[in-house]
Amino acid sequence: MKLRGTASALVVVEGTDLHHDLIGAALALQEIVTEAGLPTARAMGLDRFTEPLPATADADVYVLYRSSTVFAPAQQEALSALVAAGKGLVVLHASNLFGYGPGGLEADAAAHRLIGSRYLSHGAHGSEGRFLVRVTAEHQVTRYLADFAIDDEFYLLEYADDVHVLAVRDTPEGGTEPVLYAREHGAGRVCYSALGHDPRAWGNPGFRQLVRQAVLWAAGTGEESYANLATRWPLGNGRHLGPEQPGPRQPGATTAPGSEGTA
């Protein structure tokens, strides 16, 4: 029996801390999602989806931060079934490392279908740097989000045809690479962002607002409360990203690198 009357979230981290600070990510993401107004717990490991305890079963949306090439098929199928039945799922950064463990991509088929993409490489221009995240589509995840600059890793993705790309970065070759998309999975909602490598990203005002809005959308939060919850703490301290109070994003509005606002 669900005890809460409001939507709630569970941040789940899994893998090794060799390349990603899982403990730091869990703490930062719990804080960010709590800022969105959702009671938020944090947890380690993916067996909780195959044998869901109340904290897992009661959550309306899962925020997944993985750093591993191993994802047991039973765990994949269990998470996929929970989302198909109506749970929300927000997937961040390296959580789509599929096809690199024993059994190759076939072993990760259920999670690959659920999330809709997989990491390919950092590309040929180094592993990280500063780049502009450009919002390219009107959606509840991006409605109150302006373009913003971030220091983060470069990801090249292979992604499914049915994903709704919401934001991109420009590549040195003159093209674009998705950094944010949304999709549906059965009765559930899935949002993936390639952003979120380390504290430089977790503390970025644009990233924090992006995650808040993604979680609220995935949880099925109503539009009336969504605007208030999504924009309440753009900088985590009550200040806003620019001189104006936040409102619906105007088509074509951009923020130059380095001009996101000051704390």
Side-chain angles (χ1 to χ4, degrees), residues 247-259:
R249 181 181 182 275
Q250 299 301 315
T254 60
T255 301
S259 63

Side-chain angles (χ1 to χ4, degrees), residues 86-191:
K87 301 288 188 183
L89 179 64
V90 175
V91 186
L92 296 172
H93 200 49
S95 299
N96 61 350
L97 288 174
F98 302 138
Y100 298 100
L105 189 56
E106 183 177 352
D108 295 329
H112 189 203
R113 287 193 299 269
L114 168 64
I115 294 172
S117 69
R118 69 183 185 116
Y119 163 87
L120 294 179
S121 74
H122 291 300
H125 301 279
S127 62
E128 63 181 48
R130 187 166 181 82
F131 55 88
L132 183 68
V133 174
R134 293 196 297 108
V135 177
T136 57
E138 174 68 15
H139 190 276
Q140 191 167 327
V141 173
T142 57
R143 189 156 301 158
Y144 299 92
L145 185 69
D147 299 350
F148 63 94
I150 192 169
D151 295 283
D152 212 328
E153 284 191 322
F154 304 124
Y155 269 24
L156 298 182
L157 303 176
E158 175 185 84
Y159 51 96
D161 293 337
D162 67 345
V163 304
H164 184 184
V165 175
L166 305 177
V168 302
R169 66 174 177 87
D170 296 320
T171 65
E173 292 80 9
T176 60
E177 184 67 25
V179 296
L180 177 70
Y181 66 74
R183 68 187 305 270
E184 295 182 355
H185 180 75
R189 296 172 171 183
V190 178
C191 186

